[in-house]
Every structure is written in C-alpha cells, then in structure tokens.
Amino acid sequence: QWGCLHMDGRSTAEADQRQQNQVAHQRRLLRLGTHVLYSRQFSRWLEKRDPEKAAKLGGCGSWVMFRDYYNHPDRPIKLAGSNFCQLTRLCSFCASRRALRHSKALGQRFDFAMAGDRQLVAHMATLTMRNDADLPAMVRRFWGGWKKLLKARENDRRRRVCNGILSRFAGGFMSGECKRGSGSRLWHYHGHGIWLAPRDDGRDYWRQLQAEWSRAVGHYARVHFVRVEGLAGGLREAAKYSVKFGGASY
C-alpha cells in the first residue's frame, strides 16, 4: 500500500512526526532559556559574595548543541552538549537536568516494581513541619523523623509484622523542600514523595501516617496523601523542587 509522499520523499506520517519533534524542541528551548535567565539573575547577585562561582554561573548555558536525527523522525531532538557549570544547588539550568535524570531513574525503578506486582499503585505523600527560624535544626529534625519511620519499618521486617505505616508500602522515595515566608520570614521545610501501596485495600493510610509522623518530629504535623494519576507526572512533580527558582528573591 502506497503512502502519500512529499517532495523530499518522506511520508506524511514521518513529516507529521518531524513537525511534532520541532514543536517539542521549541518548547524545550523556551524552558531552557527561562532556566538560563534565572541563573544570570542570580549570578549578578552572587558577584559580591562569591565571584568565582558567579563567573561560572554567569557563563552556564551560553551555548547549547542539539542532535537532530533527521533520517530517524521517530527519535526526538536531544541535547548533545553545553557549557554546564555543574552548580546544581545554585544554577536553575543544571538543576533542571539533574531533576530530569532523577525522575527518569526513579521511573525505571517504579516501572520494574509495578511490573512485578500489578496490584501496586502510586501515591504522593507530603510531610510537613511547624515553621521555625532555625532552618538547620528543622532539616535535622525532619530527616531524623524520617529515619525513625524507616527504622520502624526495618524492625517490622525482622519481626515479620506490619505495624508501622511504612511497612504497608512496597517502597518509594522522599525529597525535601524549604521555603521562607515573605511576611513571617520563618522557614517552612517539608517533604514530598511517591510511595507504592496495594490497590484499593481500604486502609485509611493518612490517619496513621499523620499520627506516626507527628510523634517522629515531636509536634503535631499535617500530612497529605493522595493517589497519583499518571506516574510520570507525579515523579516529575516530586523530583523537581530543586528547580523552583522562579519565585526566589535575592
């Protein structure tokens, strides 16, 4: 069966796919340009505080190179190289690439786990804390509380029981994020994660999670627990917090 051909000899399907690749490429260029703009703005603020890092940050993303598989329209246009500063905690451009790598690696692990057990579904968990002026102490308290939950899960595994909240999940990950209130100037530290739980088992997870998390951090703490519709989007949402430079004020 013959397909409709364009003047360059490529089929309509290939031409449509190539057009889709070009549209996706333009959108990506806009995102990358926004990240580079944030890095430039931050580098000017950083010049008087750390000139060496400011210079590296100011030159990051000044050129980029892409690989276009013209003879293989089914393959997307990929970023092939750039002058990366590798300051992922300061640079929005480098942090976005790091977050993308993390979300892809996590997606592979989640796909493997869910392929082995079709009853597993993904949930997003958000763990909060009381606002405080001492950020280092908050970070230590948060991850200290998280270690307590992991320790309880390990104890349950050795005793072959299922008492702790994390024992009810097949696995998952947790990432932390901090913000500062514009009015109170207090720090707000919280975590987001994706966890795998059995499908529709009727358990009221969030109540037990809130009780155990409040005990772990030493005060009443709110939690949010909801099923994820679309694992890839949920992973990107939970892994992208290192790139929220847009609302920063220097």
Side-chain angles (χ1 to χ4, degrees):
Q1 182 178 0
W2 294 91
C4 178
L5 298 180
H6 291 283
M7 294 300 293
D8 62 355
R10 287 176 172 77
S11 67
T12 302
E14 290 180 350
D16 291 344
Q17 182 62 55
R18 182 165 181 78
Q19 184 177 8
Q20 292 177 13
N21 290 345
Q22 290 293 337
V23 171
H25 179 59
Q26 292 297 325
R27 290 175 178 172
R28 186 180 188 186
L29 285 176
L30 289 175
R31 291 196 301 270
L32 294 180
T34 301
H35 289 310
V36 171
L37 176 61
Y38 291 151
S39 296
R40 294 291 186 277
Q41 294 173 344
F42 187 59
S43 68
R44 290 192 288 270
W45 179 87
L46 196 62
E47 284 177 350
K48 297 181 180 179
R49 295 162 177 81
D50 195 327
E52 182 178 353
K53 288 184 179 179
K56 293 180 64 177
L57 196 63
C60 185
S62 58
W63 63 267
V64 291
M65 179 173 61
F66 293 89
R67 182 174 289 116
D68 186 356
Y69 302 92
Y70 189 80
N71 293 324
H72 300 276
D74 57 312
R75 302 176 66 177
I77 301 173
K78 293 185 177 180
L79 179 65
S82 180
N83 56 334
F84 304 113
C85 67
Q86 303 296 339
L87 300 175
T88 56
R89 294 176 183 267
L90 300 176
C91 177
S92 178
F93 184 46
C94 292
S96 66
R97 297 180 65 249
R98 180 174 180 267
L100 180 61
R101 290 196 301 269
H102 282 188
S103 63
K104 287 184 175 179
L106 288 167
Q108 292 174 355
R109 296 188 180 188
F110 274 83
D111 289 340
F112 179 81
M114 297 174 74
D117 187 349
R118 298 293 183 180
Q119 294 302 312
L120 292 177
V121 293
H123 295 74
M124 176 175 283
T126 301
L127 308 180
T128 69
M129 293 180 61
R130 186 181 299 160
N131 294 353
D132 200 330
D134 190 347
L135 179 59
M138 291 185 69
V139 175
R140 290 193 297 268
R141 192 181 312 120
F142 182 93
W143 293 110
W146 179 246
K147 287 182 179 179
K148 291 179 182 178
L149 298 187
L150 292 177
K151 182 65 175 178
R153 186 176 190 266
E154 180 64 19
N155 292 337
D156 284 353
R157 186 186 65 82
R158 286 199 298 264
R159 293 194 298 264
R160 298 183 180 181
V161 295
C162 188
N163 295 326
I165 182 62
L166 292 189
S167 299
R168 306 185 184 280
F169 296 92
F173 81 99
M174 177 62 62
S175 63
E177 177 192 11
C178 66
K179 297 180 179 180
R180 198 173 193 180
S182 58
S184 66
R185 306 304 294 169
L186 295 177
W187 292 101
H188 174 64
Y189 193 86
H190 57 283
H192 303 270
I194 304 294
W195 302 349
L196 294 178
R199 184 188 308 273
D200 299 330
D201 61 355
R203 298 182 188 273
D204 202 357
Y205 288 111
W206 76 269
R207 293 185 184 277
Q208 183 180 357
L209 176 61
Q210 183 173 48
E212 293 191 19
W213 179 243
S214 296
R215 288 197 299 270
V217 296
H219 60 76
Y220 175 79
R222 294 183 178 181
V223 303
H224 184 65
F225 190 81
V226 63
R227 180 171 173 174
V228 173
E229 300 295 340
L231 179 59
L235 289 173
R236 287 194 297 269
E237 180 69 20
K240 76 176 184 181
Y241 289 98
S242 59
V243 300
K244 286 189 173 181
F245 289 83
S249 58
Y250 312 123

